[in-house]
Amino acid sequence: MSVIVEQLTKRFTAGGTPAVSDVSFHAPSAAITTLLGPSGAGKSTLLRLIAGLELPDSGSVRIEGVDCTQLPVQKRGIGVVFQSYALFKHMTVRQNIAFGLETRRLPRADIEARVDEMLRLVQLEELGKRYPGQLSGGQRQRVAFARALAIRPKLLLLDEPFGALDSRVRIELREWLQSLHEQTGVTTLLVTHDQEEALEISQHVVVLSDGRVAQAGPPEEIYDRPATPFVASFVGGTSVLRGSVRSGRAQVGTLVVAAPQSAREGESVQAFVRPHDIKLARAANGDSELTTSRVERLKSVGGYVKVLLKLPSGETVTVEVPRAEFDDLGVVEGDHVHADVRMAKVFLGDFA
Ligand code: ADP
């Protein structure tokens, strides 16, 4: 394990709610680990504690076996990229990349060779003489990566590095980051609030909520076996429906779900339904129906439409319908539709 954080706590006001509260996690060596959570969850504070830009009230940070908890930033062997470019405007791309090497007093020839190597790595060989103001947002962020990697850090810390870019560039740079990581293999911690980005890019995910770790594990595990209702809904956009155990099975509205053997008669349960495990239809067509539901809200998101359904029970369910299917269906807000649930995909919460 390359980064080991143990029982880290940070308060900004004495006696106030901690921004980071008793956080422990491991980030595997040579992998990308994401710190995922909504705004205010404590992601940036945690990253800044690991970087040494903030000091914790208690707890420890070990990087490659070295206790760094009290070490200054420059002694930790880390590279950092923030959302805002933070490049030196009056320096060329080459000078920006060389900056960290010059402060380390490397010989000039080594610096020039390393800068060339970094320019090749981030595919900006042609732009070394430009100033940041003459680059696109995506290019500037690639320079920021080159500068962070030039010192050959043991650990790369990324705080929403694509957050300020438009969505097309952001998606391009996501793929670019994966291939960059394949080439460098440097242990990386990435802060993001975007669950799709986390699931796509990383090998390990730490989900944060209210300054605490809600769950940590590989992306498939986080998605398939969420440990809390918060993780289920934040990571999978999953809807929660309430029901109870009747004759050994869970009755959830009109749905009947297999219940665990340990379930007791009358016990209340929570059933989780993922947004792409529901098919909408104009007419009833099966026994997995979620009763006729009202279309509360429609939101087009690129290739699909998010449909918010209101069930007769008053509960709401989010459904994702591929664009072409949605156009065939032709529903508008206020319509009533039938919702066909892929029952095999519904799971019951097993939360303490
Ligand atoms: P995230 O990165 O997940 O959005 P942050 O780590 O930025 O969350 O913030 C976590 C909490 O700590 C928030 O309530 C935020 O207001 C508070 N916080 C962060 N930085 C400071 C600071 N420098 N001073 C006071 N409060 C802060």
Side-chain angles (χ1 to χ4, degrees):
M1 290 296 179
S2 185
V3 181
I4 302 178
V5 166
E6 276 178 347
Q7 298 182 303
L8 216 51
T9 295
K10 173 73 183 175
R11 281 188 174 80
F12 287 103
T13 46
T17 317
V20 167
S21 182
D22 196 26
V23 165
S24 301
F25 73 89
H26 292 185
S29 209
I32 300 181
T33 296
T34 43
L35 303 178
L36 172 68
S39 175
K43 307 180 294 293
S44 291
T45 304
L46 186 53
L47 201 79
R48 291 171 64 81
L49 289 167
I50 296 167
L53 294 162
E54 302 281 357
L55 290 178
D57 299 337
S58 56
S60 65
V61 176
R62 295 175 76 81
I63 301 174
E64 299 272 0
V66 179
D67 187 340
C68 294
T69 316
Q70 301 296 331
L71 282 185
V73 186
Q74 61 279 13
K75 295 263 170 71
R76 297 191 181 202
I78 51 164
V80 189
V81 179
F82 294 106
Q83 177 171 339
S84 57
Y85 317 111
L87 296 178
F88 303 113
K89 289 196 184 71
H90 60 285
M91 289 187 193
T92 65
V93 167
R94 284 195 79 87
Q95 288 166 337
N96 265 284
I97 299 173
F99 183 78
L101 303 171
E102 278 162 2
T103 57
R104 281 170 174 71
R105 301 181 190 285
L106 258 69
R108 174 56 41 197
D110 291 0
I111 293 179
E112 295 304 327
R114 186 82 61 85
V115 172
D116 285 335
E117 181 195 335
M118 290 299 125
L119 283 170
R120 269 197 306 280
L121 182 69
V122 301
Q123 297 157 324
L124 292 176
E125 294 101 314
E126 314 300 318
L127 304 182
K129 295 207 172 65
R130 294 229 188 141
Y131 287 89
Q134 299 169 307
L135 300 176
S136 71
Q139 288 170 336
R140 272 183 246 170
Q141 260 334 45
R142 279 152 61 189
V143 175
F145 272 85
R147 190 176 62 179
L149 288 167
I151 57 160
R152 298 212 197 289
K154 286 186 284 190
L155 175 64
L156 185 62
L157 300 176
L158 310 173
D159 193 352
E160 305 250 10
F162 311 135
L165 304 169
D166 69 56
S167 63
R168 188 182 56 80
V169 180
R170 201 157 64 219
I171 288 165
E172 266 173 35
L173 283 187
R174 242 188 236 173
E175 286 179 20
W176 173 85
L177 174 60
Q178 280 174 294
S179 94
L180 182 80
H181 183 258
E182 278 162 23
Q183 292 172 67
T184 62
V186 60
T187 308
T188 301
L189 270 180
L190 167 76
V191 160
T192 182
H193 64 269
D194 182 337
Q195 50 99 3
E196 229 173 73
E197 184 164 286
L199 296 178
E200 185 182 325
I201 287 188
S202 54
Q203 288 85 51
H204 196 73
V205 181
V206 179
V207 186
L208 293 167
S209 164
D210 293 331
R212 295 177 179 274
V213 176
Q215 189 174 3
E220 312 78 55
E221 194 178 298
I222 302 278
Y223 190 79
D224 290 334
R225 294 192 294 284
T228 67
F230 167 78
V231 177
S233 86
F234 186 70
V235 178
T238 299
S239 303
V240 184
L241 298 173
R242 292 181 191 286
S244 60
V245 177
R246 298 265 173 270
S247 315
R249 295 194 295 180
Q251 186 79 45
V252 181
T254 53
L255 303 177
V256 180
V257 188
Q261 296 227 312
S262 58
R264 279 169 289 127
E265 184 71 14
E267 190 181 350
S268 55
V269 290
Q270 293 180 315
F272 289 78
V273 187
R274 297 201 189 282
H276 45 78
D277 288 331
I278 299 176
K279 202 169 160 52
L280 300 185
R282 281 286 187 186
N285 57 356
D287 57 3
S288 56
E289 186 148 322
L290 202 55
T291 73
T292 311
S293 308
R294 187 184 137 90
V295 176
E296 284 287 294
R297 208 165 355 110
L298 296 171
K299 194 167 154 206
S300 184
V301 190
Y304 62 91
V305 179
K306 269 192 184 176
V307 180
L308 184 74
L309 293 182
K310 189 158 193 175
L311 311 188
S313 65
E315 292 170 302
T316 54
V317 171
T318 303
V319 189
E320 285 173 11
V321 186
R323 181 98 236 164
E325 216 174 280
F326 178 83
D327 291 343
D328 288 347
L329 196 65
V331 295
V332 293
E333 285 176 4
D335 279 2
H336 283 79
V337 289
H338 297 269
D340 210 8
V341 182
R342 290 167 68 194
M343 290 305 292
K345 298 286 186 177
V346 175
F347 60 101
L348 291 183
D350 180 21
F351 310 123

